[in-house]
Amino acid sequence: MGSNPMGLIVALDSPDRGFEGLVEDLCGVVDGFKLGLPLLMGRGPGYAAELRSRCREGIWIADLKLADIGHVMKLTTSLVVDHVDAVIAHGFVGVKGALGELKEFLESRGRKLIVVASMSHPGAEEVYDKALPLILDAIEELGPWGVVAPATRPHVTTSIRERLGPRVAIVSPGVGAQGAEPGAALCAGADYEIVGRLIVSSPDPRSAALAVREAQRRRLASC
Ligand code: XMP
C-alpha cells in the first residue's frame, strides 16, 4: 500500500451550484478536492482559485481527463495550473509527444501528474481493462505522481498496485453513487478514495464525510 492509508478526496462536479460553503465545511475534514470538467467549464477555470481561497489545506486536483497531444494538453492545463496541485490525464495517449511533455510542464510548475490507468464504470471492461498492461507499461516509463484506479473493481486496483509498487499514489473513484463501499479500494491498495455525490448531495456534507471516514476506518480494520 502507498503512503496514505485512509485518504478521502471529495469530487466537485456540478456547475449549477456554488461550492464555497461546502469547501469551508469540509476543510480539514477531508484530504482534498477534485474539480471536475463540468464545474471548471461552467464556472470558468478561475473558480478553482475562488474555491481554494476557502481552504488552503489538502490536495487540489483538476480532473481535466486530458487526452490530446502534449502541446494541447499543456495549453489546457495552463488555464488552471496556478490554482491546483495536480492534473488528471488519460493513460492511453502514451508518453512520447503526449504525457511526457505534460509531466515535464507540470513538474516545471511544481505540480503533479495523475494518469488514468482504468476507470470505474462498466464499459471500462470493454476497452480500458484490455489495454491495461500496455497502459501500465507507459505509466512505468513515465513515472507520474499518481494513477487513477477503480474502486468498483478492487481486483484491478490491486493488480495496478502490485505492478507499480508502493511509490505511486493511487486515487480511486467509484465509492458511493457508483456502488463501491467506503474502504474497499483502500483495502485493495489505493491511497485515496474519491467520493462525489454521496457527500456533496447530502443535506449535511460534513456529517456525510465524517461517516465515510468512519466506514473507511472500520473496513480497513478488517482488510
Ligand atoms: P461520484 O459522484 O460518482 O463521483 O462519487 C465520482 C467522481 O470521480 C470521477 N470518476 C472517475 N475519474 N476515472 C477517473 O479518472 C474513473 O474511472 C472515474 N470514475 C469516476 C467522476 O468524474 C466524478 O468526479
Side-chain angles (χ1 to χ4, degrees):
M1 186 175 286
S3 57
N4 191 331
M6 218 178 90
L8 174 59
I9 293 172
V10 175
L12 309 178
D13 288 308
S14 173
D16 300 327
R17 60 181 276 192
F19 284 115
E20 294 87 346
L22 181 138
V23 164
E24 286 172 0
D25 281 353
L26 295 183
C27 191
V29 173
V30 301
D31 297 298
F33 297 92
K34 183 178 79 66
L35 310 178
L37 264 185
L39 181 71
L40 291 171
M41 289 181 72
R43 299 257 166 178
Y47 192 56
E50 169 59 32
L51 288 182
R52 199 169 192 177
S53 72
R54 310 298 179 112
C55 180
R56 298 283 176 199
E57 297 175 32
I59 184 166
W60 284 78
I61 302 170
D63 188 358
L64 302 176
K65 293 270 179 17
L66 296 164
D68 213 316
I69 60 171
H71 171 66
V72 174
M73 292 198 290
K74 287 191 286 183
L75 283 177
T76 310
T77 299
S78 66
L79 298 172
V80 290
V81 71
D82 290 337
H83 314 315
V84 296
D85 302 299
V87 168
I88 295 179
H90 274 291
F92 57 75
V93 292
V95 178
K96 294 179 194 67
L99 294 174
E101 291 182 12
L102 179 63
K103 181 178 176 238
E104 198 179 306
F105 172 68
L106 284 166
E107 290 184 349
S108 74
R109 306 291 290 265
R111 305 298 192 258
K112 299 170 167 66
L113 175 60
I114 301 173
V115 177
V116 179
S118 186
M119 295 191 70
S120 57
H121 62 300
E125 291 181 351
E126 297 164 16
V127 176
Y128 240 122
D129 281 2
K130 290 177 182 154
L132 186 60
L134 297 175
I135 292 171
L136 291 178
D137 284 347
I139 288 173
E140 252 185 344
E141 180 187 339
L142 182 70
W145 176 82
V147 300
V148 182
T152 44
R153 286 169 306 118
H155 65 285
V156 177
T157 298
T158 299
S159 70
I160 292 169
R161 171 61 76 203
E162 284 170 359
R163 169 73 191 273
L164 297 179
R167 282 209 302 272
V168 71
I170 296 183
V171 302
S172 199
V175 175
Q178 290 180 84
E181 299 286 336
L186 300 178
C187 283
D191 301 284
Y192 299 93
E193 291 183 331
I194 294 173
V195 181
R197 288 163 285 180
L198 181 64
I199 292 175
V200 301
S201 300
S202 162
D204 181 353
R206 186 182 169 91
S207 296
L210 289 168
V212 169
R213 277 229 180 276
E214 174 57 18
Q216 287 179 316
R217 192 193 60 74
R218 271 189 274 109
R219 180 67 184 255
L220 267 177
S222 61
C223 281

